[in-house]
Short mmCIF file of all heavy atoms in Angstrom, two decimals:
data_model
loop_
_atom_site.label_atom_id
_atom_site.label_comp_id
_atom_site.label_asym_id
_atom_site.label_seq_id
_atom_site.Cartn_x
_atom_site.Cartn_y
_atom_site.Cartn_z
N PRO S 1 63.95 -12.44 25.35
CA PRO S 1 63.31 -11.94 24.13
C PRO S 1 62.73 -10.54 24.33
O PRO S 1 62.31 -10.17 25.43
CB PRO S 1 62.20 -12.96 23.86
CG PRO S 1 62.61 -14.19 24.60
CD PRO S 1 63.34 -13.71 25.81
N ARG S 2 62.73 -9.78 23.23
CA ARG S 2 62.08 -8.46 23.23
C ARG S 2 60.89 -8.53 22.29
O ARG S 2 61.02 -8.99 21.15
CB ARG S 2 63.04 -7.36 22.79
CG ARG S 2 64.25 -7.21 23.68
CD ARG S 2 64.97 -5.90 23.45
NE ARG S 2 64.21 -4.77 23.96
CZ ARG S 2 64.75 -3.60 24.33
NH1 ARG S 2 66.07 -3.44 24.25
NH2 ARG S 2 64.02 -2.61 24.75
N SER S 3 59.77 -8.08 22.75
CA SER S 3 58.56 -8.19 21.94
C SER S 3 58.57 -7.15 20.82
O SER S 3 59.16 -6.06 20.94
CB SER S 3 57.32 -7.99 22.81
OG SER S 3 57.20 -6.63 23.20
N GLY S 4 57.89 -7.51 19.74
CA GLY S 4 57.75 -6.56 18.64
C GLY S 4 57.00 -5.32 19.06
O GLY S 4 57.31 -4.20 18.61
N GLU S 5 56.02 -5.49 19.95
CA GLU S 5 55.24 -4.34 20.42
C GLU S 5 56.13 -3.37 21.21
O GLU S 5 56.07 -2.15 21.03
CB GLU S 5 54.09 -4.81 21.31
CG GLU S 5 53.21 -3.68 21.80
CD GLU S 5 52.05 -4.18 22.64
OE1 GLU S 5 51.91 -5.41 22.81
OE2 GLU S 5 51.27 -3.35 23.14
N GLU S 6 56.99 -3.93 22.08
CA GLU S 6 57.89 -3.08 22.87
C GLU S 6 58.85 -2.32 21.96
O GLU S 6 59.08 -1.11 22.13
CB GLU S 6 58.68 -3.94 23.85
CG GLU S 6 59.71 -3.15 24.66
CD GLU S 6 60.75 -4.04 25.32
OE1 GLU S 6 60.59 -5.27 25.30
OE2 GLU S 6 61.74 -3.47 25.83
N MET S 7 59.42 -3.03 20.97
CA MET S 7 60.36 -2.37 20.06
C MET S 7 59.67 -1.32 19.21
O MET S 7 60.23 -0.25 18.95
CB MET S 7 61.07 -3.41 19.19
CG MET S 7 62.09 -4.24 19.96
SD MET S 7 63.18 -5.23 18.90
CE MET S 7 62.05 -6.52 18.37
N SER S 8 58.44 -1.58 18.79
CA SER S 8 57.72 -0.60 17.99
C SER S 8 57.46 0.68 18.78
O SER S 8 57.57 1.79 18.25
CB SER S 8 56.40 -1.19 17.46
OG SER S 8 55.49 -1.42 18.51
N ARG S 9 57.13 0.52 20.09
CA ARG S 9 56.92 1.70 20.93
C ARG S 9 58.23 2.46 21.12
O ARG S 9 58.28 3.69 21.04
CB ARG S 9 56.38 1.30 22.30
CG ARG S 9 54.92 0.89 22.32
CD ARG S 9 54.36 0.93 23.74
NE ARG S 9 55.18 0.15 24.68
CZ ARG S 9 54.96 -1.11 24.98
NH1 ARG S 9 53.96 -1.77 24.40
NH2 ARG S 9 55.75 -1.74 25.84
N THR S 10 59.32 1.73 21.40
CA THR S 10 60.61 2.36 21.63
C THR S 10 61.09 3.14 20.41
O THR S 10 61.62 4.26 20.53
CB THR S 10 61.67 1.29 22.00
OG1 THR S 10 61.25 0.62 23.20
CG2 THR S 10 63.03 1.93 22.24
N LEU S 11 60.88 2.57 19.24
CA LEU S 11 61.39 3.18 18.01
C LEU S 11 60.38 4.09 17.32
O LEU S 11 60.73 4.79 16.36
CB LEU S 11 61.83 2.08 17.03
CG LEU S 11 62.95 1.16 17.54
CD1 LEU S 11 63.19 0.03 16.56
CD2 LEU S 11 64.23 1.95 17.78
N GLY S 12 59.13 4.07 17.79
CA GLY S 12 58.11 4.94 17.19
C GLY S 12 57.70 4.52 15.80
O GLY S 12 57.42 5.38 14.95
N VAL S 13 57.67 3.20 15.57
CA VAL S 13 57.26 2.67 14.26
C VAL S 13 56.22 1.59 14.48
O VAL S 13 55.94 1.19 15.62
CB VAL S 13 58.48 2.10 13.49
CG1 VAL S 13 59.51 3.18 13.21
CG2 VAL S 13 59.11 0.94 14.27
N SER S 14 55.65 1.10 13.40
CA SER S 14 54.64 0.06 13.50
C SER S 14 55.28 -1.30 13.77
O SER S 14 56.48 -1.50 13.49
CB SER S 14 53.82 -0.01 12.22
OG SER S 14 54.62 -0.48 11.14
N ARG S 15 54.48 -2.25 14.27
CA ARG S 15 54.99 -3.60 14.48
C ARG S 15 55.33 -4.24 13.14
O ARG S 15 56.27 -5.05 13.06
CB ARG S 15 53.94 -4.44 15.22
CG ARG S 15 53.75 -4.00 16.67
CD ARG S 15 52.76 -4.87 17.40
NE ARG S 15 53.22 -6.25 17.52
CZ ARG S 15 52.54 -7.21 18.14
NH1 ARG S 15 51.36 -6.94 18.69
NH2 ARG S 15 53.02 -8.44 18.23
N ALA S 16 54.61 -3.87 12.08
CA ALA S 16 54.92 -4.40 10.75
C ALA S 16 56.31 -3.95 10.29
O ALA S 16 57.06 -4.72 9.68
CB ALA S 16 53.87 -3.96 9.74
N ALA S 17 56.67 -2.69 10.62
CA ALA S 17 57.99 -2.18 10.25
C ALA S 17 59.08 -2.93 11.01
O ALA S 17 60.14 -3.26 10.45
CB ALA S 17 58.08 -0.69 10.54
N VAL S 18 58.82 -3.25 12.29
CA VAL S 18 59.77 -4.04 13.07
C VAL S 18 59.93 -5.42 12.45
O VAL S 18 61.05 -5.93 12.32
CB VAL S 18 59.33 -4.14 14.54
CG1 VAL S 18 60.19 -5.15 15.30
CG2 VAL S 18 59.39 -2.78 15.22
N TRP S 19 58.82 -6.04 12.06
CA TRP S 19 58.87 -7.38 11.45
C TRP S 19 59.70 -7.35 10.17
O TRP S 19 60.51 -8.24 9.91
CB TRP S 19 57.46 -7.87 11.16
CG TRP S 19 57.45 -9.26 10.58
CD1 TRP S 19 57.45 -10.44 11.24
CD2 TRP S 19 57.48 -9.58 9.17
NE1 TRP S 19 57.48 -11.49 10.36
CE2 TRP S 19 57.49 -10.99 9.08
CE3 TRP S 19 57.48 -8.82 8.01
CZ2 TRP S 19 57.52 -11.66 7.86
CZ3 TRP S 19 57.52 -9.48 6.79
CH2 TRP S 19 57.52 -10.89 6.71
N LYS S 20 59.53 -6.30 9.35
CA LYS S 20 60.29 -6.19 8.11
C LYS S 20 61.79 -6.04 8.40
O LYS S 20 62.64 -6.59 7.69
CB LYS S 20 59.79 -5.01 7.27
CG LYS S 20 58.43 -5.24 6.64
CD LYS S 20 58.00 -4.04 5.82
CE LYS S 20 56.62 -4.27 5.19
NZ LYS S 20 56.17 -3.09 4.40
N ALA S 21 62.11 -5.28 9.45
CA ALA S 21 63.51 -5.11 9.83
C ALA S 21 64.10 -6.44 10.29
O ALA S 21 65.25 -6.78 9.95
CB ALA S 21 63.64 -4.05 10.92
N ILE S 22 63.33 -7.21 11.06
CA ILE S 22 63.78 -8.54 11.50
C ILE S 22 64.05 -9.42 10.29
O ILE S 22 65.06 -10.14 10.21
CB ILE S 22 62.74 -9.19 12.43
CG1 ILE S 22 62.59 -8.41 13.74
CG2 ILE S 22 63.07 -10.66 12.69
CD1 ILE S 22 63.75 -8.55 14.70
N ALA S 23 63.13 -9.39 9.32
CA ALA S 23 63.28 -10.20 8.11
C ALA S 23 64.54 -9.80 7.34
O ALA S 23 65.28 -10.66 6.84
CB ALA S 23 62.04 -10.06 7.22
N ALA S 24 64.82 -8.48 7.27
CA ALA S 24 66.01 -8.01 6.56
C ALA S 24 67.29 -8.47 7.27
O ALA S 24 68.26 -8.87 6.62
CB ALA S 24 65.99 -6.49 6.46
N LEU S 25 67.26 -8.45 8.60
CA LEU S 25 68.43 -8.92 9.35
C LEU S 25 68.65 -10.41 9.14
O LEU S 25 69.80 -10.87 9.00
CB LEU S 25 68.25 -8.61 10.83
CG LEU S 25 68.34 -7.13 11.23
CD1 LEU S 25 67.88 -6.93 12.67
CD2 LEU S 25 69.76 -6.61 11.06
#
């Protein structure tokens, strides 16, 4: 698993934005 915090840092976005992207997928 990849954490939302790690992905948010890598992509330079908020964890909420990562969560929304996960929901869209």
